[in-house]
Amino acid sequence: MHIAVVGTGYVGLVTGTCFAETGNDVTCVDIDATKVAMMQSGKIPIFEPGLDLLFDRNTRQNRLHFTTDLKEAVDQAEIIFLALPTPPGEGGAADLKYILGVADDLSRLITRYTVIVDKSTVPVGTSEKVHAALASHLSEDLFDVVSNPEFLREGLAVEDFMKPDRVVIGTSSERAKKAMQHLYQPFVRQGNPIIFMDERSAEMTKYAANSYLAARITFMNEIANLCERVGANVDMVRIGMGTDTRIGKRFLFPGVGYGGSCFPKDVQALAITADEYEYDFQILKTVMGVNERQKQILVEKIRKYYQEPLAGKTIAVWGLAFKPNTDDIRGSTGSGDH
Ligand SMILES: NC(=O)c1ccc[n+]([C@@H]2O[C@H](COP(=O)([O-])OP(=O)(O)OC[C@H]3O[C@@H](n4cnc5c(N)ncnc54)[C@H](O)[C@@H]3O)[C@@H](O)[C@H]2O)c1
């Protein structure tokens, strides 16, 4: 298939490269000309284990292309992925200006039936907004909008994309469903499911998953704080707990609060969605509050240790990213997953 990926960050570049690896012709487009020039000269702008190998193979075999020209990228595309940033905007809600801006551009460029896929993490109802932006200049029978949230983990992005636990696809169009099923078939050969649902449920699934994981880390941070008071060893408690198959071992590592480029903004965006729909989402509010407090605990411990003002002290921080094997230090505070 001919695929276009708009935005070549951690999600877009991995998505584009992995779709090329399964034989598709992929054009990735980005407004960052320096980044695009770098990729055109065969260099990867991010660190992600295993990505270099796939990137080299697919660029050499002419299945993976890079451009700054949106028209060139979408000219032949049957499916266009939006892997654009959705940072917190004013008030903390996900800012949709990148997504809706590109949707508006696409409404003037598309000339035949195309599936437009939201790969970014976007609040419930965004696919309807993207649909409206596209419909401003485009006949409705020339496009479908699909929500296909991405669950890859930085540091394991290629592995997660090539062998996903599941693929979630939100669409109410049979035609788009068929195209997406065809594209994803090589990634689900081992029986991992493609789960079809409506657009709103797909959008919510991503926020629910990230918020639940953030809540697990937060719960464990509270257990760690209590362990210190009662004289228990949280590492032993974690092992004792995590070996219970109902609980599982992952996302139980206490630390200086969850961080990274996704959890903080996604938990906050879900809390704002709850507010908008007048739902008092108490657990989520507590998770955010406890996480902020957790970041201070390290400083309190350092203060207590020195028992004197910290001004003038040199402090070394070992490891800047929120977890191993990534160079993404956006929103980095501590670790949650190992
Ligand atoms: N990073 C992750 O681990 C991860 C995982 C799952 C989902 N997500 C979600 O995926 C989305 C993208 O995240 P990311 O980490 O890849 O972001 P990123 O910041 O790494 O990449 C976004 C890219 O989009 C480009 N861009 C901005 N405006 C553009 C435009 N108008 N046209 C073309 N390109 C444009 C930027 O230059 C940048 O290269 C976000 O919604 C994020 O929440 C991220």
Side-chain angles (χ1 to χ4, degrees):
M1 296 173 100
H2 288 279
I3 308 292
V5 180
V6 189
T8 52
Y10 287 87
V11 170
L13 185 56
V14 171
T15 299
T17 306
C18 292
F19 282 140
E21 178 69 9
T22 52
N24 299 289
D25 185 80
V26 181
T27 304
C28 296
V29 58
D30 205 289
I31 43 163
D32 185 336
T34 315
K35 210 183 228 187
V36 170
M38 192 175 171
M39 293 185 288
Q40 283 170 336
S41 71
K43 294 193 198 88
I44 307 186
I46 55 167
F47 173 75
E48 194 54 62
L51 187 61
D52 48 351
L53 208 85
L54 266 57
F55 179 93
D56 286 349
R57 177 159 58 226
N58 287 285
T59 44
R60 253 189 293 110
Q61 295 179 359
N62 214 24
R63 278 191 301 270
L64 185 58
H65 322 274
F66 300 97
T67 179
T68 51
D69 182 0
L70 185 63
K71 184 176 182 330
E72 182 192 325
V74 304
D75 224 16
Q76 292 193 54
E78 295 152 75
I79 304 182
I80 301 172
F81 282 86
L82 307 182
L84 293 157
T86 49
E90 235 172 87
D95 188 348
L96 294 178
K97 72 172 177 235
Y98 301 97
I99 303 269
L100 297 178
V102 169
D104 187 61
D105 293 342
L106 290 175
S107 74
R108 294 160 220 269
L109 294 173
I110 290 170
T111 51
R112 54 190 166 69
Y113 178 77
T114 312
V115 180
I116 317 292
V117 185
D118 264 338
K119 193 66 146 153
S120 300
T121 303
V122 289
V124 170
T126 301
S127 71
E128 288 143 51
K129 290 183 181 162
V130 171
H131 190 282
L134 287 161
S136 62
H137 291 94
L138 195 60
S139 160
E140 293 200 347
D141 53 5
L142 283 188
F143 72 92
D144 279 309
V145 178
V146 170
S147 168
N148 170 217
E150 181 49 58
F151 299 97
L152 63 78
R153 292 164 295 174
E154 286 179 359
L156 290 162
V158 171
E159 198 180 314
D160 283 349
F161 199 95
M162 295 305 289
K163 293 181 191 165
D165 287 341
R166 79 312 204 181
V167 175
V168 169
I169 293 177
T171 180
S172 37
S173 150
E174 269 309 308
R175 191 172 180 186
K177 181 178 170 181
K178 271 197 194 117
M180 295 299 286
Q181 194 157 25
H182 184 61
L183 179 65
Y184 271 108
Q185 214 50 55
F187 300 90
V188 294
R189 287 216 177 101
Q190 287 168 339
N192 35 343
I194 300 179
I195 306 168
F196 289 100
M197 56 182 79
D198 63 275
E199 296 83 344
R200 284 186 165 239
S201 303
E203 290 162 345
M204 180 54 99
T205 300
K206 173 67 190 176
Y207 281 106
N210 272 6
S211 298
Y212 175 72
L213 294 172
R216 261 176 85 103
I217 294 169
T218 304
F219 179 83
M220 218 45 207
N221 282 334
E222 295 243 72
I223 292 288
N225 298 339
L226 188 56
C227 278
E228 278 185 355
R229 281 173 204 221
V230 302
N233 179 344
V234 72
D235 281 326
M236 296 320 298
V237 174
R238 173 176 59 75
I239 294 164
M241 248 177 98
T243 39
D244 184 328
T245 51
R246 293 171 303 176
I247 297 172
K249 296 175 188 165
R250 317 281 318 282
F251 284 84
L252 289 181
F253 289 79
V256 289
Y258 61 78
S261 63
C262 292
F263 282 12
K265 83 171 172 64
D266 293 349
V267 172
Q268 184 174 266
L270 185 60
I272 286 171
T273 299
D275 280 348
E276 280 168 10
Y277 285 79
E278 292 173 7
Y279 180 71
D280 183 18
F281 203 147
Q282 296 187 20
I283 291 181
L284 218 51
K285 288 178 194 160
T286 304
V287 165
M288 290 189 291
V290 171
N291 200 56
E292 279 313 298
R293 190 186 66 189
Q294 195 67 20
K295 294 179 199 169
Q296 300 305 320
I297 286 178
L298 178 65
V299 181
E300 284 159 25
K301 282 186 177 177
I302 297 171
R303 279 215 181 95
K304 200 168 155 201
Y305 177 82
Y306 284 106
Q307 306 245 323
E308 60 187 27
L310 296 179
K313 294 215 181 303
T314 303
I315 294 175
V317 178
W318 188 14
L320 281 182
F322 67 107
K323 64 171 170 183
N325 274 325
T326 181
D327 60 351
D328 189 357
I329 55 167
R330 294 175 291 182
S332 178
T333 50
S335 58
D337 185 20
H338 290 271

